[in-house]
Amino acid sequence: MVESIAISTERRKKIAAAAIFCVYAVITLIGATHHELWFDEAQAWGIARDATLETLPEILRHEGHPALWYLILMPFAKAGAYCEIINIISWFFSVVSAGLFMWKAPFGLVFKTAMLFSSGFLYLNSVNARVYCLIPLLLFFIAIVYPKRKKYAPVYGLLVGLLANTHVMMCGLVGILGIFMLIELFQSIKQYGVKKSWGRIAGIAIAGVLVLAMILPLVGALNTCSDMKDREYSVNVIFQNIINIFRDTGSYLMIDKWNNVFGELFSNIIGVIIILYFVFLFSYRKAFITSLVFLAFYTFISGVLWFIIPSRAIIFVYILTVIFWIAKQNEEPKTFVISYNGSGNTLLSKLTLFVIKAFANPSRTISVLLCVVLFSSSPTGLFWLFYDYGHDYTTTERTAEYIMNELPENSVIVTTGQDGIQFGVYTYGSGIRYYSLNIQDYITYNPHIYNNKIIDFSKIQQDFSKEENIYLIHFVPTKTEYSFLNTKEPIYSYETFSTLIIHAGYVEIYDVEMDDIIKISADLQSAYEE
């Protein structure tokens, strides 16, 4: 009888898990198939389509990202696939990750539900197609293989090396995992000899080669990546960024519209919860060391070199989860035994007993803390998912349709920056070309070449000497800042929606002449000189 009830309960849990997974997969697939690309997604697709294996390393030095995501996209892009397949690729990796977590992670159903319905899995990694979709997949595979890493050392080394090639914020975690691999190798050689340790040697060699493949193209990225070189690196700024890392991570787990007292309170509460995670993880010494090393690099990458964005904030939480996953299955926690003789009737006594119980069972406490953080991001994920579905996300697809349907096939779309890239992935093959005035060349992706901010008017005149159909595309917060365009009416104008990517304003297209292009170039040169 008892056995029958247990089987029935287990069966209900499996059905519930399958139902939750299916709901997750369906709603994110709907979101992915309705998502239009924004700049960074289009940039990755353009690089994958038009770059070669020879030119890719130089591009990576300017992009500041490893090669793995571009290499995955290349076969699809070069085969002529429609650009929005990138959404399905991202969704596929996220769904596989969700399946691994649902059926392989050593957590309860509530925890697993919190993971699948966190902002990353709901939107930022599944619908929004960027490299971040690869990180949970590789993290979960590493956690699954970790208990058998001795037997499958080459596979484990491959996974660690691939993780290094997703994003530079992984450097800390990859570095400490590599150090542990070396320690275990020396122990294996000492105990069993070199011949019986070939698997571990192969694993470290594979990981090492892949880490070098990540590092070498990014040498000099601090000087070439435009997001890095213009930031302030004073001691005061760095210190403030480090102090605020927990609060800022919490703030990017919530909807950006909650920029009020509630949002500030939310950010600080989540920041405190994350700090408590580290306090209780101290019971798992190896995991605690791992988390501190990762935290140091995450703070350096996201708080000093770059900045925190929603995608990186939720990935931060996923990494903390996987560190705990590995600890839960491979370490015995060192619990604190605290004796307390309080009566238990006063509020202080009850609170003290609550804290003692929390320290007595750190595994349960950490699970609760992570659950709270993951669930706290769910409103953000749901908001972006349904907002993206119900609105013109960045007016990219609508504008691209106008360009293809209304403008001549041999038209040149001129932009003062790189705004044509996101439209270009949709209009690719139509004969429409895009020209950037600050790059002073035709573009299909941003090559990060700015000619020292000197406008070569003779080159621009030569480039446009045989062009008959010239149009200017321009993003404006309210109205155009170019005074001479006040006398012109845009042939196309559409209000953009306020999202986490683009602030509300207008995208406008003007029918212009060569003289207009020269005037805009002169304005750009004046702006550079100022």
Side-chain angles (χ1 to χ4, degrees):
M1 180 66 177
V2 175
E3 184 179 349
S4 176
I5 294 174
I7 293 173
S8 178
T9 302
E10 188 64 26
R11 184 182 178 187
R12 283 198 296 270
K13 287 182 179 179
K14 290 181 179 179
I15 293 173
I20 291 168
F21 175 79
C22 288
V23 169
Y24 164 78
V26 170
I27 63 173
T28 51
L29 177 60
I30 294 172
T33 54
H34 286 80
H35 175 68
E36 60 181 279
L37 306 190
W38 63 286
F39 183 88
D40 279 11
E41 296 163 304
Q43 170 77 347
W45 185 258
I47 291 172
R49 185 190 62 215
D50 297 331
T52 65
L53 293 177
E54 291 76 19
T55 60
L56 186 59
E58 178 63 20
I59 294 171
L60 298 179
R61 195 165 67 90
H62 291 277
E63 286 288 299
H65 292 297
L68 184 58
W69 181 234
Y70 305 102
L71 294 175
I72 289 172
L73 298 180
M74 271 187 174
F76 300 94
K78 292 188 180 299
Y82 186 54
C83 63
E84 286 191 350
I85 197 173
I86 190 175
N87 300 337
I88 304 303
I89 295 170
S90 180
W91 172 83
F92 172 77
F93 285 130
S94 294
V95 167
V96 173
S97 303
L100 289 174
F101 194 83
M102 181 61 78
W103 281 285
K104 292 295 184 179
F107 304 113
L109 188 58
V110 174
F111 196 126
K112 293 175 179 179
T113 303
M115 175 62 75
L116 266 62
F117 287 87
S118 61
S119 60
F121 273 90
L122 274 177
Y123 183 82
L124 296 171
N125 300 338
S126 54
V127 176
N128 200 339
R130 297 195 65 191
V131 65
Y132 301 103
C133 67
L134 299 176
I135 296 175
L137 179 66
L138 291 169
L139 286 172
F140 296 167
F141 270 127
I142 287 172
I144 293 168
V145 174
Y146 190 85
K148 301 178 181 179
R149 63 193 181 281
K150 179 180 178 180
K151 182 178 180 181
Y152 301 107
V155 175
Y156 180 70
L158 176 64
L159 291 171
V160 172
L162 289 174
L163 183 64
N165 281 272
T166 57
H167 197 283
V168 290
M169 69 181 285
M170 294 295 106
C171 290
L173 181 61
V174 169
I176 190 63
L177 291 178
I179 290 172
F180 288 147
M181 289 172 70
L182 284 171
I183 293 172
E184 290 171 353
L185 171 62
F186 293 143
Q187 291 174 342
S188 176
I189 291 175
K190 183 177 180 181
Q191 185 173 359
Y192 303 108
V194 175
K195 288 185 178 180
K196 291 187 178 181
S197 303
W198 71 266
R200 291 184 182 274
I201 295 172
I204 289 175
I206 292 170
V209 168
L210 289 173
V211 168
L212 284 176
M214 180 273 291
I215 292 174
L216 293 178
L218 298 183
V219 172
L222 282 173
N223 297 320
T224 56
C225 182
S226 58
D227 285 337
M228 293 180 181
K229 63 183 181 182
D230 296 328
R231 287 174 66 85
E232 183 184 351
Y233 293 111
S234 68
V235 174
N236 182 55
V237 169
I238 293 174
F239 180 75
Q240 286 298 321
N241 288 338
I242 293 172
I243 293 297
N244 295 332
I245 197 75
F246 296 107
R247 186 199 65 186
D248 291 348
T249 297
S251 69
Y252 280 102
L253 295 177
M254 68 176 183
I255 300 173
D256 56 355
K257 293 182 181 297
W258 292 351
N259 189 16
N260 49 33
V261 175
F262 172 77
E264 186 69 22
L265 178 63
F266 176 92
S267 303
N268 284 288
I269 290 174
I270 296 301
V272 170
I273 291 174
I274 294 174
I275 291 172
L276 288 174
Y277 163 90
F278 285 91
V279 171
F280 286 98
L281 192 68
F282 185 73
S283 298
Y284 300 90
R285 300 304 164 82
K286 189 175 181 180
F288 181 70
I289 294 170
T290 303
S291 65
L292 286 184
V293 174
F294 161 68
L295 177 64
F297 275 83
Y298 171 80
T299 302
F300 181 67
I301 297 298
S302 295
V304 179
L305 291 184
W306 277 333
F307 41 80
I308 300 175
I309 60 174
S311 299
R312 293 175 199 149
I314 195 64
I315 287 294
F316 174 77
V317 180
Y318 294 163
I319 293 171
L320 298 185
T321 302
V322 169
I323 290 173
F324 174 54
W325 174 350
I326 292 173
K328 187 178 175 70
Q329 290 191 315
N330 298 276
E331 283 191 71
E332 190 67 32
K334 297 183 182 300
T335 57
F336 294 91
V337 179
I338 303 173
S339 59
Y340 177 70
N341 299 320
S343 63
N345 295 323
T346 66
L347 178 61
L348 180 60
S349 297
K350 291 179 179 179
L351 182 61
T352 303
L353 289 171
F354 177 80
V355 172
I356 290 172
K357 289 179 180 179
F359 276 101
N361 192 347
S363 176
R364 183 176 184 277
T365 303
I366 295 172
S367 295
V368 171
L369 293 173
L370 288 172
C371 258
V372 171
V373 175
L374 289 169
F375 269 129
S376 71
S377 73
S378 296
T380 303
L382 289 169
F383 171 80
W384 284 334
L385 180 67
F386 290 109
Y387 187 89
D388 192 353
Y389 177 83
H391 295 80
D392 249 348
Y393 184 56
T394 58
T395 70
T396 299
E397 195 167 9
R398 179 188 290 268
T399 302
E401 288 174 358
Y402 174 86
I403 291 171
M404 288 190 292
N405 295 332
E406 302 297 331
L407 303 186
E409 288 185 1
N410 62 342
S411 297
V412 175
I413 310 295
V414 181
T415 173
T416 55
Q418 298 83 43
D419 297 330
I421 291 170
Q422 60 267 48
F423 308 113
V425 294
Y426 283 98
T427 62
Y428 185 75
S430 66
I432 303 290
R433 290 159 296 143
Y434 297 84
Y435 189 96
S436 170
L437 289 178
N438 68 344
I439 294 175
Q440 297 161 56
D441 207 348
Y442 295 91
I443 59 172
T444 56
Y445 60 85
N446 180 12
H448 301 282
I449 299 172
Y450 300 102
N451 298 312
N452 296 318
K453 296 184 177 181
I454 298 175
I455 300 296
D456 187 343
F457 292 93
S458 61
K459 183 180 187 305
I460 292 174
Q461 287 179 321
Q462 182 180 354
D463 289 341
F464 284 91
S465 61
K466 296 182 180 180
E467 301 292 355
E468 297 180 357
N469 302 298
I470 307 173
Y471 300 89
L472 172 71
I473 193 165
H474 187 47
F475 281 111
V476 288
T478 52
K479 287 296 179 182
T480 177
E481 69 259 30
Y482 297 115
S483 58
F484 75 93
L485 287 178
N486 290 337
T487 61
K488 293 178 177 286
E489 285 295 326
I491 60 174
Y492 172 87
S493 180
Y494 197 78
E495 185 175 5
T496 63
F497 287 89
S498 177
T499 71
L500 74 161
I501 305 304
I502 272 186
H503 294 294
Y506 291 84
V507 56
E508 298 176 341
I509 298 178
Y510 290 85
D511 187 350
V512 296
E513 305 295 334
M514 185 63 200
D515 289 344
D516 299 324
I517 299 301
I518 295 300
K519 289 178 182 178
I520 296 173
S521 301
D523 285 346
L524 280 176
Q525 185 63 69
S526 297
Y528 290 156
E529 292 172 355
E530 291 175 1

